[in-house]
Amino acid sequence: MSTRLQIVYDMVPACDTIADVGCDHGYLSIALLEREVAKRAIAMDINKGPLAKANENILASGFKDRCETRLSDGLAKLEVAEADVICICGMGGALIGRIISKDFDVAKSAKCMIIEPQSEYYELRSMLTEKGFVIDDESLCTEENKIYPIIKIHYEPDVKNRPTYTKAQLVYGPKVIEKSPQLLQKLLDKNESEYSSILSKLENGGSDSEAIALRCRQLKEELDIISEIRNSL
């Protein structure tokens, strides 16, 4: 498995059934069955090509009786409480959010979900917490020179047990900030350099349009968040 999938794998607790949404070639499901983390797996994908390849790999690994494949748009072909653990990895944060929102009853019925958004991190974390999900664990991984979060969540029906997150936590992840891994420092450095450069160009560009002013305010807020996190570490 790739480093990214290994981190996802390490977050999966022992379970009866794992549902891998966007399974690609089925490597995660196979690894979880091989090492007896999961007793059964459901590998799901919206595209026939990757699902066919997953079928081949599952058959070759000898797990055809314990791993089924389903052509599915997100969680559409999964029943409520059918899977203890749901993994949704390797897609944009907006798409992950739509998948969870569309089949919310299925999503919240799992004991936990492990998601790996590749964009829109703040928007996704905000939406999840508004819907009652709690962030249990997070890690950062790097792939093709981009740093991604991997997030473990569960639905918390009791409002009193749902923590309140700051904007900084929703942007960079409460558990990531708490752990303060080296990749967080690298991400903060990268973003600070990028935002400062854009801000400087906009401020020195001579334009006084409302759109430019708004973007400058947004960049300054992003830089303030980075400073807030650095001061808390």
Side-chain angles (χ1 to χ4, degrees):
M1 290 188 295
S2 65
T3 301
R4 176 178 65 86
L5 278 184
Q6 183 64 52
I7 294 172
V8 175
Y9 169 90
D10 289 338
M11 281 193 183
V12 177
C15 60
D16 287 328
T17 303
I18 175 86
D20 183 11
V21 180
C23 68
D24 197 21
H25 292 176
Y27 296 133
L28 178 63
S29 294
I30 292 168
L32 291 167
L33 293 172
E34 280 179 340
R35 299 167 202 179
E36 299 184 350
V37 177
K39 296 177 183 177
R40 177 173 174 262
I42 305 169
M44 309 168 72
D45 207 287
I46 195 172
N47 296 309
K48 293 181 179 179
L51 205 63
K53 187 62 179 177
N55 260 318
E56 291 178 16
N57 292 334
I58 292 162
L59 184 61
S61 67
F63 289 115
K64 191 62 179 175
D65 60 332
R66 293 171 57 195
C67 183
E68 65 174 290
T69 57
R70 295 180 187 174
L71 188 67
S72 177
D73 181 359
L75 297 168
K77 296 297 176 65
L78 193 67
E79 299 296 324
V80 172
E82 187 177 9
D84 305 84
V85 179
I86 296 172
C87 293
I88 311 176
C89 302
M91 56 190 85
L95 177 54
I96 292 175
R98 287 197 295 272
I99 287 171
I100 291 171
S101 296
K102 183 179 176 183
D103 293 284
F104 183 62
D105 287 341
V106 175
K108 73 177 186 179
S109 72
K111 292 179 181 177
C112 73
M113 289 198 297
I114 297 154
I115 58 177
E116 186 243 324
Q118 297 186 343
S119 59
E120 297 106 9
Y121 315 125
Y122 168 72
E123 292 81 4
L124 179 60
R125 286 192 185 98
S126 298
M127 183 276 286
L128 291 171
T129 55
E130 286 169 6
K131 285 186 172 293
F133 288 96
V134 174
I135 297 172
D136 299 312
D137 194 12
E138 293 174 300
S139 287
L140 293 177
C141 70
T142 181
E143 194 169 77
E144 296 180 355
N145 296 318
K146 188 166 183 181
I147 299 172
Y148 301 107
I150 296 171
I151 309 168
K152 183 177 181 178
I153 60 175
H154 79 276
Y155 178 74
E156 177 51 65
D158 190 343
V159 176
K160 292 182 292 184
N161 291 330
R162 298 174 187 170
T164 300
Y165 300 109
T166 66
K167 183 166 184 179
Q169 289 174 319
L170 293 173
V171 172
Y172 287 94
K175 298 299 182 181
V176 171
I177 296 171
E178 183 181 307
K179 293 178 181 180
S180 185
Q182 188 174 357
L183 274 179
L184 174 59
Q185 304 292 346
K186 184 176 179 180
L187 181 61
L188 293 175
D189 289 344
K190 172 182 173 295
N191 286 350
E192 184 174 42
S193 175
E194 180 182 319
Y195 299 153
S196 296
S197 176
I198 296 171
L199 180 61
S200 177
K201 289 176 183 177
L202 291 176
E203 289 182 331
N204 296 323
S207 174
D208 59 355
S209 72
E210 182 56 35
I212 295 297
L214 174 61
R215 182 60 180 141
C216 286
R217 289 196 295 271
Q218 291 171 337
L219 288 164
K220 288 176 181 177
E221 183 180 4
E222 294 289 351
L223 289 168
D224 286 343
I225 286 171
I226 291 172
S227 295
E228 177 187 334
I229 293 171
R230 289 195 191 281
N231 292 334
S232 72
L233 299 178

